Amino acid sequence: MAHQLGIGLLGLGNVGGGVAHLLIEGRDRLIERRGLQLEVRRAAVRDLSRPRRVELPPGVLTTDPGAVVDDPDVQIVAEQMGGIEPARTLLLRALRNGKDVVTANKAVIAACGDELFQVAAQQGVDLMFEASVCGGIPIIRSLTEGLVANRIQSLYGILNGTTNYILTRMTEEGGTFEEMLGQAQAKGFAEPDPTFDIDGTDAAQKLVILARIAFGSAVRLEQVFREGIDRIGSQDIAFARELGYTIKLLAVAKLTQDSRLEVRVHPAMIQAQALLASIRNEFNAVEVVGDAVGTQVFYGRGAGQLPTASAVVSDIVDVASRRSGGGRRAENDWTREERLPVVPVEEVVTSYYFRFVVLDQPGVLAQITQILATEQISIESVIQHGRSEDTVPLIIMTHEAPERAMRRAVARIDRLSMVREPTLVIRVERP
Ligand code: HSE
């Protein structure tokens, strides 16, 4: 006899519609494989009349999300509305009503995770968030369960599908930033406000969650150094290729030798033969180094309707199995607290790619290299192609130097009269 459980959905749009589809289409499989009969009993939507991919029985749809979280026939609430409010208030209400909660919402987990987990613990219910990071890739479970024996040393991620899509298409077809953003939006993996994709906020929210799980450390979004991809031009992509690199929006969380944590999201040059350089289009990947296991790479679709819904349904099945078998609440690493201090970005050490836009005159290179020398920044290579009556891009790759020295040098260089545009800096990483 299958155990029957009522599911309430907050949001039935792109991801919510996918969850309903997988629960309904996969009904018999879940009964057969897990002995669970999962019924969508309530679903909150904005517009009752909108046509939908899935047919739900009459009376299931409501425009009142409170009716979902208060429904006594709902045992598990799955939220895929996104954003902090009203999601936070609704999730707290669901937890206080004794329901298990599954969420795909990285914004609410990154910002309000402490409060939500505290209430879940008080109520003895589960709060699961696999779909909040990297869509269909089971990265939370892998870190929490598969790698539990490890002290994680570093985590490098391509966590945002939209920016990876844009950078890949710019690299492979030479399209413009705007055209490629439009394509990412049409494919349904951009955020409602794509600024959050482009400026690194989406990846930083995911990194806050991963850092918490991987390193047990509470990092606030404001502590993650963030830089977006909006200044990367097709010429940088071409220079990167010439130098043997690929440009990616990279999320980095790294334990330092003095037990502090680097957390940052920014465009990075990575060597073209590195595994992460081969992650194309909207795909995501996370490279984790654990002290026992060594390097592992998790790869897959990090956004989109069914990949994200796949992670939501796996959480629903997990909590449903526990509920029906009377098992223990899920182990989660959210409440483990190691309080690693975050390294101020000025202290971070990387190599750099500089694109100076300069007048093509004798002595320009000498002045720039003089400033780099006074800041102890050593040069690895220099490129200047062609001649011009006007400005030319001058590319310098450096050896490793602290961010503070790099910033001082760039501020001084940008004041030189022959430097005609703010210098573009891309950090070089060796995952
Ligand atoms: N907008 C996100 C991305 C998907 O482009 O990866 C949801 O996290």
Side-chain angles (χ1 to χ4, degrees):
M1 251 282 281
H3 288 277
Q4 263 195 28
L5 286 162
I7 312 298
L9 302 179
L10 293 172
L12 200 56
N14 188 31
V15 176
V19 173
H21 169 78
L22 291 185
L23 287 174
I24 292 164
E25 293 291 304
R27 190 173 179 276
D28 293 345
R29 194 167 47 242
L30 294 175
I31 293 175
E32 196 187 310
R33 291 179 64 179
R34 292 287 185 272
L36 296 169
Q37 189 177 327
L38 304 175
E39 309 278 355
V40 179
R41 295 203 174 130
R42 288 299 233 170
V45 296
R46 256 189 244 138
D47 177 3
L48 287 175
S49 61
R50 212 174 111 191
R52 295 174 199 284
R53 177 176 180 170
V54 281
E55 288 286 332
L56 290 167
V60 169
L61 294 193
T62 169
T63 52
D64 173 16
V68 175
V69 297
D70 292 341
D71 190 328
D73 291 332
V74 164
Q75 284 84 41
I76 301 167
V77 170
E79 181 259 327
Q80 40 276 318
M81 303 161 74
I84 294 178
E85 287 292 0
R88 171 186 157 272
T89 305
L90 289 165
L91 295 188
L92 287 170
R93 190 157 138 193
L95 294 167
R96 290 195 175 109
N97 283 338
K99 303 188 191 306
D100 292 315
V101 165
V102 170
T103 179
N105 182 340
K106 70 216 140 210
V108 80
I109 290 290
C112 315
D114 286 340
E115 181 186 25
L116 292 164
F117 277 100
Q118 200 184 13
V119 174
Q122 281 160 3
Q123 298 293 326
V125 293
D126 277 325
L127 171 58
M128 309 281 285
F129 52 100
E130 182 65 73
S132 67
V133 181
C134 293
I137 307 174
I139 185 67
I140 302 293
R141 252 184 205 77
S142 301
L143 289 168
T144 311
E145 295 170 15
L147 300 181
V148 68
N150 289 261
R151 182 158 171 83
I152 304 298
Q153 290 162 332
S154 65
L155 183 153
Y156 288 90
I158 294 176
L159 305 182
N160 181 265
T162 301
T163 46
N164 203 49
Y165 183 86
I166 292 172
L167 292 170
T168 309
R169 299 321 317 147
M170 285 172 75
T171 305
E172 294 182 5
E173 349 169 347
T176 67
F177 177 87
E178 285 74 19
E179 281 164 5
M180 297 311 154
L181 172 60
Q183 284 188 15
Q185 287 175 302
K187 285 171 174 257
F189 38 79
E191 292 301 292
D193 176 358
T195 323
F196 285 167
D197 294 302
I198 306 307
D199 73 4
T201 302
D202 175 81
Q205 286 170 332
K206 294 167 180 167
L207 191 63
V208 164
I209 298 172
L210 289 180
R212 186 69 175 244
I213 301 306
F215 300 95
S217 225
V219 175
R220 293 188 314 281
L221 188 60
E222 312 77 73
Q223 292 177 293
V224 181
F225 171 73
R226 251 175 293 171
E227 202 177 272
I229 65 161
D230 51 321
R231 287 198 64 210
I232 307 291
S234 44
Q235 52 180 329
D236 302 305
I237 286 173
F239 282 123
R241 180 180 291 138
E242 185 176 342
L243 291 157
Y245 289 89
T246 302
I247 303 175
K248 295 289 184 192
L249 183 72
L250 203 64
V252 181
K254 199 156 77 174
L255 197 60
T256 60
Q257 292 200 331
D258 59 355
S259 294
R260 294 186 299 160
L261 201 58
E262 279 184 23
V263 272
R264 47 199 166 87
V265 172
H266 52 72
M269 294 257 192
I270 54 180
Q271 280 171 328
Q273 66 273 23
L275 214 152
L276 288 183
S278 67
I279 309 305
R280 297 171 59 240
N281 296 332
E282 74 273 29
F283 281 82
N284 283 188
V286 185
E287 183 175 308
V288 182
V289 179
D291 59 352
V293 80
T295 303
Q296 291 206 324
V297 181
F298 300 85
Y299 166 79
R301 290 186 194 277
Q305 181 176 52
L306 291 179
T308 311
S310 155
V312 172
V313 172
S314 100
D315 277 351
I316 292 177
V317 168
D318 211 2
V319 292
S321 303
R322 273 195 293 278
R323 221 173 232 269
S324 57
R328 286 191 319 115
R329 293 178 52 239
E331 293 302 330
N332 82 73
D333 280 339
W334 195 274
T335 41
R336 172 178 128 219
E337 186 51 289
E338 296 197 2
R339 296 184 191 281
L340 300 175
V342 172
V343 179
V345 68
E346 294 76 15
E347 291 178 30
V348 169
V349 175
T350 63
S351 309
Y352 304 97
Y353 159 100
F354 294 125
R355 171 165 50 84
F356 303 109
V357 179
V358 296
L359 293 177
D360 195 6
Q361 289 173 358
V364 174
L365 182 61
Q367 290 193 51
I368 289 176
T369 54
Q370 175 59 39
I371 293 174
L372 293 176
T374 53
E375 293 296 346
Q376 302 291 311
I377 301 173
S378 161
I379 293 169
E380 185 181 283
S381 55
V382 179
I383 305 180
Q384 191 210 314
H385 291 311
R387 285 220 63 172
S388 168
E389 295 297 303
D390 191 18
T391 58
V392 283
L394 171 67
I395 306 303
I396 294 187
M397 296 285 286
T398 75
H399 292 297
E400 288 193 332
E403 176 96 12
R404 180 178 289 121
M406 178 277 283
R407 288 186 183 187
R408 266 196 313 249
V410 169
R412 284 177 61 194
I413 291 169
D414 282 357
R415 285 198 294 272
L416 297 174
S417 60
M418 63 285 283
V419 174
R420 290 311 173 96
E421 278 180 23
T423 296
L424 178 82
V425 180
I426 305 178
R427 295 162 189 84
V428 182
E429 280 291 341
R430 294 193 171 79

